[in-house]
Amino acid sequence: MAVRRDAETGIETIRAHFRGHAYDLHDHDELLVGVTEQGVQAFRCRRRLHTSVPGRVILIEPGEAHDGHSPGEDGFTYAMLYLPVPLLAARNDALRSLMPRGSGVALGFRDTLADDPGLAAAIRSAFLALHRREGKLARDLSVDRLAARLAGHLEPPQDHYRPPRPDRAAALARDLLHARMGEDVGLDALSAAAGIDRFRLNRAFRAAFGLSPHAYLVRLRLRTARRRLAEGEAPALVAAEVGFADQSHLGRWFRRAYGLTPAAYRDLCTNVPD
């Protein structure tokens, strides 16, 4: 696995090869756009199994849970960009127009897989410019071209595939998890905040978010840990502050979700050894 992070834009580029199981169900804060380069890549997303082959474009929006595995013996290779939504919207008027002003709402993709050679070429060009750390002009132009090509695949998030607004109890429990992410919060505290008993809360939370409260909390902690590690923070400090028991506990979950250790990810993003 080769990971780079562009310090100016915050865009991450990853090229990786996997055989068998690649990573567990997880999500990201960014838009994920990539191309399968070799083999057959299978993954669950939007509660469906998708299969990508060489040349096919993969499009995953912020917060959309996905996993990955190879159904074939030869494995698969892909190149992926992790694009911060504000950056992308700032590069293209069409993308910016899809975001309600002041809403902070992320953009959504119409489809998870696309057969679009022009978009695939734009992804490859941006990937190479960023991953090889070419000059600023080359990076800027390639990202702008990619933003323009993506405009035809993006739409506001209120469309038909979006889950309904969570009921009040589930939303209150979710808000408490965000507010007290680093604490050891139990079901009793969540149910008290939500105003319903713990059994009804668990059912309501799963219906609203497709996950148990614990699975949701783990994903929230992982996303936060990833951001802080990319900024160069020490894994032990990150583990303690986002709510994992220790660095080893963070490491087990992080490797299952992202395919490498927190220290390795930090090193790849910052060139600062742990």
Side-chain angles (χ1 to χ4, degrees), residues 4-24:
R4 299 284 186 274
R5 182 180 177 86
D6 183 64
E8 182 177 347
T9 62
I11 297 174
E12 284 186 25
T13 55
I14 295 180
R15 174 175 274 131
H17 177 80
F18 291 101
R19 295 184 182 214
H21 175 77
Y23 36 81
D24 287 354

Side-chain angles (χ1 to χ4, degrees), residues 107-154:
L107 297 171
F109 288 112
R110 281 201 310 273
D111 300 296
T112 303
L113 293 175
D115 292 305
D116 183 340
L119 177 56
I123 291 171
R124 292 189 188 97
S125 176
F127 177 89
L128 291 173
L130 290 159
H131 202 71
R132 294 175 177 174
R133 294 172 177 162
E134 295 184 5
K136 179 173 170 50
L137 186 59
R139 300 197 310 272
D140 285 348
L141 288 172
S142 65
V143 173
D144 286 355
R145 284 194 295 266
L146 175 56
R149 294 292 312 197
L150 280 173
H153 292 268
L154 285 159

Side-chain angles (χ1 to χ4, degrees), residues 225-237:
R226 185 183 176 104
R227 287 196 301 270
R228 295 180 62 163
L229 290 165
E231 293 168 358
E233 294 191 37
L237 175 64

Side-chain angles (χ1 to χ4, degrees), residues 21-164:
H21 175 77
Y23 36 81
D24 287 354
L25 202 66
H26 67 286
D27 61 353
H28 297 269
D29 293 325
E30 303 87 1
L31 290 167
L32 272 61
V33 300
V35 178
T36 302
E37 297 183 329
Q38 170 269 323
V40 178
Q41 181 175 355
F43 61 99
R44 287 181 296 158
C45 187
R46 296 183 184 174
R47 303 185 184 184
R48 290 181 50 199
L49 180 64
H50 302 270
T51 302
S52 184
V53 295
R56 186 165 288 173
V57 172
I58 300 168
L59 303 166
I60 300 175
E61 66 202 46
E64 195 68 67
H66 59 284
D67 60 8
H69 71 277
S70 170
E73 294 182 358
D74 294 334
F76 67 88
T77 306
Y78 70 92
M80 188 75 67
L81 295 99
Y82 295 67
L83 303 168
V85 173
L87 168 79
L88 203 62
R91 298 294 185 101
N92 187 275
D93 291 339
L95 299 184
R96 189 161 53 250
S97 69
L98 293 173
M99 300 178 67
R101 183 171 297 177
S103 69
V105 175
L107 297 171
F109 288 112
R110 281 201 310 273
D111 300 296
T112 303
L113 293 175
D115 292 305
D116 183 340
L119 177 56
I123 291 171
R124 292 189 188 97
S125 176
F127 177 89
L128 291 173
L130 290 159
H131 202 71
R132 294 175 177 174
R133 294 172 177 162
E134 295 184 5
K136 179 173 170 50
L137 186 59
R139 300 197 310 272
D140 285 348
L141 288 172
S142 65
V143 173
D144 286 355
R145 284 194 295 266
L146 175 56
R149 294 292 312 197
L150 280 173
H153 292 268
L154 285 159
E155 60 190 357
Q158 299 92 339
D159 291 275
H160 62 89
Y161 62 80
R162 282 291 183 177

